[in-house]
Amino acid sequence: AALETAYSDTEALVGDFTSKYEVPSVRTNLYGKKWVALGDIQTMDNSYKDGTYVQYAAEKLGITDTVRYTAQLGGIAKRSANDEDALCVKAKSLTDSADLITVMGGLIDQALETALGNVGDTVETTFYGAMNSLCTTLLTKYPDKTIVFITPTAISSDATASDTALKASDYADAIKKICGKYSIPVYDAHTLAGICPFVTAQRDLYTVGGMYLNTEGHKKIANGLVNFLNTLSSVRTSFSGGQTHAAEQLLLNKNEI
């Protein structure tokens, strides 16, 4: 009873405060900043969806400037020695100005049956080699910025693939392994996004043909990515103006008790 009375009194104080002053809103330090998104066909505009996860997540984060670099037919790794469409190549020509850099890939690498190679590879025609190159490029270009990789979601054909066939999970695991080596955060959409194309209802809701994400699928990825970003120390949540009034903080904590 005493606690409820305290909250009641505090609400009255905050009501009086907000009638006179603009109350700061909760936001991350990405608000109003620039996002560079590197990705394969899932990051491109096409007939599979009305918008991409980049658009939907940027709106939630308050990011005002987004730039996408995409590989139309390629993946993270090179298809051949002279392939210029691979993400590991495109990363070398990214803009120098960015606050958030994300990479979503692996889907096309699986479709092309790109060899995983070995963890220590440096050749960009294997997936591990391309990942090593890509991570080094990004950390060199953006040493003090937030870099995040996004693993590919599962595809329906994985459910019936042979035991020896490379699946989306194999490329997702490779991304996590190499990013772990470089201490780069990974939003594991493969296991955390809640998209399972092996189940007909989810396949129809979130994908086109069990492979490409549709509009709802991209919104789902965006929601998960935003929540993940909010857990990172480099994307700390703060109040505009840099401080919180005690009365506001007490009300914000009310639902946590």
Side-chain angles (χ1 to χ4, degrees):
L3 184 59
E4 285 299 325
T5 299
Y7 276 129
S8 178
D9 292 343
T10 301
E11 287 173 342
L13 288 172
V14 173
D16 180 62
F17 174 82
T18 55
S19 68
K20 300 176 182 178
Y21 306 99
E22 180 181 354
V23 179
S25 58
V26 177
R27 62 180 62 173
T28 72
N29 63 4
L30 292 175
Y31 187 90
K33 298 299 181 65
K34 184 173 184 176
W35 177 2
V36 169
L38 187 64
D40 56 23
I41 193 170
Q42 298 281 46
T43 307
M44 296 172 58
D45 290 322
N46 53 40
S47 60
Y48 299 135
K49 65 267 190 180
D50 296 330
T52 69
Y53 65 93
V54 178
Q55 172 190 333
Y56 300 126
E59 291 174 356
K60 291 178 178 293
L61 292 165
I63 292 177
T64 55
D65 187 3
T66 59
V67 181
R68 285 177 289 166
Y69 291 78
T70 57
Q72 184 169 4
L73 300 174
I76 288 177
K78 289 183 176 181
R79 289 166 290 177
S80 62
N82 60 354
D83 180 10
E84 297 296 320
D85 195 39
L87 300 184
C88 66
V89 177
K90 288 183 176 293
K92 298 170 185 177
S93 60
L94 295 180
T95 176
D96 291 332
S97 173
D99 301 288
L100 170 65
I101 304 91
T102 62
V103 181
M104 185 174 187
L107 177 71
I108 300 303
D109 296 277
Q110 185 207 19
L112 295 172
E113 299 181 343
T114 301
L116 289 177
N118 299 305
V119 173
D121 280 354
T122 57
V123 59
E124 294 176 328
T125 49
T126 70
F127 194 73
Y128 277 123
M131 279 294 301
N132 277 311
S133 173
L134 179 52
C135 289
T136 300
T137 296
L138 294 177
L139 288 173
T140 300
K141 185 179 287 287
Y142 309 107
D144 62 342
K145 303 301 182 182
T146 299
I147 302 170
V148 172
F149 274 69
I150 306 166
T151 61
T153 54
I155 62 175
S156 57
S157 60
D158 283 350
T160 56
S162 69
D163 292 338
T164 58
L166 288 171
K167 304 174 181 64
S169 58
D170 294 311
Y171 294 93
D173 289 343
I175 289 172
K176 289 185 286 185
K177 183 175 291 186
I178 297 300
C179 285
K181 171 183 174 182
Y182 291 96
S183 192
I184 295 177
V186 178
Y187 172 54
D188 188 10
H190 189 83
T191 60
L192 298 178
I195 298 176
C196 180
F198 308 153
V199 177
T200 302
Q202 284 225 327
R203 182 193 66 207
D204 295 343
L205 179 59
Y206 295 123
T207 77
V208 175
M211 182 173 183
Y212 302 111
L213 297 173
N214 61 17
T215 300
E216 291 305 312
H218 277 268
K219 289 180 179 179
K220 189 84 166 174
I221 294 293
N223 288 336
L225 179 60
V226 168
N227 290 335
F228 178 77
L229 288 171
N230 284 333
T231 69
L232 302 180
S233 60
S234 59
V235 188
R236 63 188 181 279
T237 298
S238 61
F239 283 80
S240 57
Q243 61 183 356
T244 307
H245 291 270
E248 296 172 69
Q249 188 62 64
L250 183 57
L251 288 182
L252 286 169
N253 292 338
K254 181 176 181 180
N255 292 331
E256 298 178 5
I257 297 176

